Amino acid sequence: MPSSRSRALAAECGDARIGQVESRGHTITTYAWGDPTTQPYVLFTHGWSSFGLRCRPWVGPLREAGYAVVAFDLPGHGRNAPCQTNLPACAAALADVARQHGPAAAVVAHSMGGAAAVLALRDGVRAGRVVLVAPAADMRAAGDRFGRMVGLRPPLVGRMFARFERQIGVAVDELAVHRHVPALGVPALVVHDLEDDEVPWEEGELYARLWPRARLLSTQGLGHHRIAGEPGVVEAGVRFLRGQEVGERVVSSPNLPFGMA
């Protein structure tokens, strides 16, 4: 697959205004449609190995609904200079972009961007609503899946995590979303495909079950990447931002792992 940078440089910017934000010593490329200083705006966060202009399928419908749109390339991704990055640095970049533009009407995040959005919200980023598309919930589980994919034995995966923890000064398990979403009060919509072979549907269900004001919309046949720009998913997200009821409420009890209400 072409690199995140080559795909970002080849992507059509259209009428986006390209800007920059500083975050932890790195220059972050931003994209804006409309005027986020005078219009409610939606902040879009892409996933690992992707780039900010992946939000383009959302831009037209959101602009028609009266929103400005702001997206950005995560550290080491897209048009940004190459660098090593990690989940806390991605959350910090989201927070710095939000700080420049003020409280967002909503955050829309895909894949690992969902975990970054949760950490940013935990640390004070303000948004009226949140839409998470195929969100990753557990870095350790993601690392285990990566290890199996490339043939790493479990002890080597464990050493990989230990080195990562030394680098960032935070235990990997402290970044798991189940530790943070129960305290989030903002309404959220989680959209996840039952056939996602990169981030299992169960991780999206976990978000929806533990997030007090979240709902879950399950799709089928879209996988992990196509779901991010599928017109039906975009349309459902816009309806949710308008305050309409979308998806189902996930409920659980000690005797019922999960159910729909």
Side-chain angles (χ1 to χ4, degrees):
M1 176 185 290
S3 69
S4 167
R5 180 173 180 80
S6 64
R7 285 180 289 141
L9 292 173
E12 177 58 52
C13 292
D15 59 350
R17 297 189 312 282
I18 300 177
Q20 295 180 334
V21 170
E22 296 301 312
S23 181
R24 293 191 175 186
H26 297 287
T27 299
I28 303 298
T29 303
T30 63
Y31 310 88
W33 295 262
D35 186 357
T37 65
T38 60
Q39 297 172 297
Y41 81 94
V42 174
L43 177 57
F44 186 93
T45 306
H46 66 80
W48 196 260
S49 298
S50 189
F51 54 100
L53 289 172
R54 282 280 278 131
C55 74
R56 286 173 302 164
W58 291 77
V59 172
L62 287 171
R63 297 290 294 126
E64 290 175 7
Y67 295 98
V69 180
V70 175
F72 65 101
D73 293 328
L74 289 170
H77 289 71
R79 295 168 181 252
N80 297 333
C83 69
Q84 288 191 340
T85 193
N86 52 60
L87 181 57
C90 291
L94 188 160
D96 288 328
V97 173
R99 188 173 298 112
Q100 183 180 69
H101 294 88
V107 170
V108 175
H110 177 235
S111 191
M112 188 274 293
V118 165
L119 295 183
L121 291 165
R122 176 201 66 180
D123 293 338
V125 167
R126 294 166 56 194
R129 289 187 168 237
V130 176
V131 177
L132 303 180
V133 182
D138 189 332
M139 283 191 62
R140 187 171 296 279
D144 290 341
R145 289 193 298 270
F146 172 77
R148 289 192 297 271
M149 181 179 69
V150 300
L152 288 180
R153 297 177 60 189
L156 292 177
V157 175
R159 287 201 287 273
M160 178 183 71
F161 278 124
R163 184 175 66 178
F164 175 73
E165 290 174 336
R166 288 194 298 271
Q167 289 174 342
I168 67 173
V170 177
V172 169
D173 292 339
E174 289 297 319
L175 301 176
V177 300
H178 74 266
R179 296 180 177 272
H180 309 296
V181 295
L184 300 179
V186 58
L189 174 66
V190 180
V191 187
H192 215 122
D193 196 80
L194 292 166
E195 300 174 14
D196 191 326
D197 60 359
E198 293 193 27
V199 178
W201 173 88
E202 288 79 8
E203 295 202 15
E205 185 274 332
L206 180 69
Y207 275 91
R209 175 159 37 96
L210 298 181
W211 194 311
R213 300 179 65 190
R215 300 180 71 86
L216 176 65
L217 177 63
S218 298
T219 64
Q220 190 162 9
L222 298 179
H224 186 68
H225 295 285
R226 188 153 62 94
I227 192 174
E230 174 66 24
V233 171
V234 175
E235 186 267 339
V238 173
R239 286 195 291 113
F240 175 75
L241 297 187
R242 286 173 166 165
Q244 297 181 32
E245 192 171 276
V246 180
E248 300 171 292
R249 180 76 183 100
V250 181
V251 296
S252 65
S253 73
N255 299 318
L256 178 68
F258 69 88
M260 304 296 181

